[in-house]
Amino acid sequence: MTHHSGESHGILGAQLAASFFQKRLSLPSKVIGVERNFSKEKLLQYLKDYYQGKESIIAFSHLCGRRDLIELMKELKGKGFITLLGGPQAKQDYEGEPETDLYPHRFKGLKSILDITYQGPVDGFCTEDFLKRGVLIEHPWTQDLFVEVDWSNLYTFSDCLKKTEVRIGQVLQAIGCPYSGTQQTVSLPPPVSLPKREIGEVEVRSDGCIFCDVSRDKGFQGVLKPHEVIRQIERLPEFEGSKIPFELIDEYPLRSLGNVLDEVAHCHIKLSQINLVCRVDDINRHSAVLQEILFRAKEQGIKIMFASIGFESFSDRLLQYFCKGITLSDSVQCVETLRRLKNRFGNHLLYRRDEGAHHGFIRPTPWDDGETMREMDKHIFLYRLFEDILPNHSTPLIIHHASFLGDWIREIESKTNITFGREGTWIEWWNPSSDGSTSPRVESSQ
């Protein structure tokens, strides 16, 4: 079970785990992506019918902060299912927040509703692990991973089970993000809705981006060998004579993308489109390399799409708070590079909102005041970011309890009588309370 939007994109982690269970452990498995607003009654009935006469083992992954999935897990546990959690933040979500005895409102973790929690690559899981109960199993990351994904094992559920034909896949190249190794300390003021003078600034350590939960989950564990990347591409489904578009999972993809193009040409693999999710500094540092990549992509009839670039903000102050390691000037340079290359390479370079890209833009944040809002709006207008960069909907700042921003919130709680609401695995920075009252809820687009 995992979160899914219902679109035709695959879920690499969950499908990889299911493929491992089936191929290496001879355990028939399928992935069910549960859409928001699903019918719990119909899903429970489906599971009852599916497991009739079988041992009821169900694994969860990629919860995406959804309380409904946590409640589903709890209910299945109560019905006698063996519950397993793996994937992103499994260990952190199992353990929960610190000092819950002193702060009962904090997220207590999922220990009580999980039989098995697994942290790390699925390669280390063995049949005997299914017999364990109430345990956290940790397996170290290596660059020698099982990557034999079955792309046909994905289903979605809203009010019934539907087979999903994956039209956008993923290829793993880097395990985690190299930028997560950048350690820094930043002083953060409290949310603007709180009295700054009474609380004061809070000094917080961050490894990489301060809102990132991945840095505490796995950090950076290296890059796969080139032949393993090509093997994954070879296994992708085909559509109209070419491999389906895929995301190359690597926050700094430009350093090796040229080699990928060389290898697929050498192996006579026909690609249609490569999607990149990357940082601003990768584009700025490798603009000449990117131009050469686009020349070769055009020769091979391949589209390179920057599906999401982590701009996050167009305010230098907020970028500093986010520990992004970039400035507004860096973002402007990146946009100008993309626009210049777009004029030269046309549809072989995709990056615009109207071409399907959805770039990182975090708004609202806890620090939005008149000054930052005016600064942001001025830069958006001055650099015409509304034309091609800004997404249709911004993403509110999400604080996972295990991110470094979680430390910031908890420090404020420890210094004051203020508590912040919790929703699933998220901390609601917009929902402070010192007398039982709460602020209006911010709806997330995630």
Side-chain angles (χ1 to χ4, degrees), residues 339-393:
R339 288 171 174 169
R340 173 174 52 82
L341 293 175
K342 178 68 173 177
N343 289 335
R344 185 165 190 176
F345 293 98
N347 287 336
H348 288 282
L349 169 63
L350 308 177
Y351 79 91
R352 296 174 54 92
R353 176 184 64 248
D354 55 13
E355 294 171 331
H358 187 93
H359 301 303
F361 180 43
I362 299 174
R363 189 172 182 173
T365 80
W367 309 287
D368 293 339
D369 55 20
E371 180 184 345
T372 58
M373 297 295 279
R374 284 191 298 271
E375 177 191 13
M376 191 98 65
D377 291 342
K378 180 184 74 172
H379 294 148
I380 288 171
F381 177 79
L382 182 62
Y383 299 111
R384 311 187 329 276
L385 302 177
F386 50 84
E387 293 181 5
D388 53 356
I389 297 298
L390 294 187
N392 291 324
H393 302 284

Side-chain angles (χ1 to χ4, degrees), residues 250-287:
D250 188 340
E251 296 289 332
Y252 287 91
L254 298 184
R255 59 191 171 181
S256 55
L257 185 53
N259 292 334
V260 172
L261 295 180
D262 288 344
E263 287 299 315
V264 297
H266 177 73
C267 297
H268 304 289
I269 303 171
K270 187 170 178 53
L271 302 185
S272 54
Q273 180 171 306
I274 301 176
N275 294 347
L276 306 177
V277 175
C278 70
R279 287 176 48 85
V280 166
D281 52 324
D282 191 30
I283 297 173
N284 288 349
R285 292 175 187 172
H286 301 107
S287 58

Side-chain angles (χ1 to χ4, degrees), residues 393-422:
H393 302 284
S394 62
T395 300
L397 181 68
I398 299 300
I399 300 181
H400 185 270
H401 71 89
S403 70
F404 292 99
L405 274 179
D407 296 339
W408 168 68
I409 287 284
R410 286 185 286 269
E411 181 64 19
I412 293 175
E413 290 180 331
S414 68
K415 293 170 64 175
T416 67
N417 65 342
I418 296 169
T419 62
F420 293 85
R422 266 59 173 181

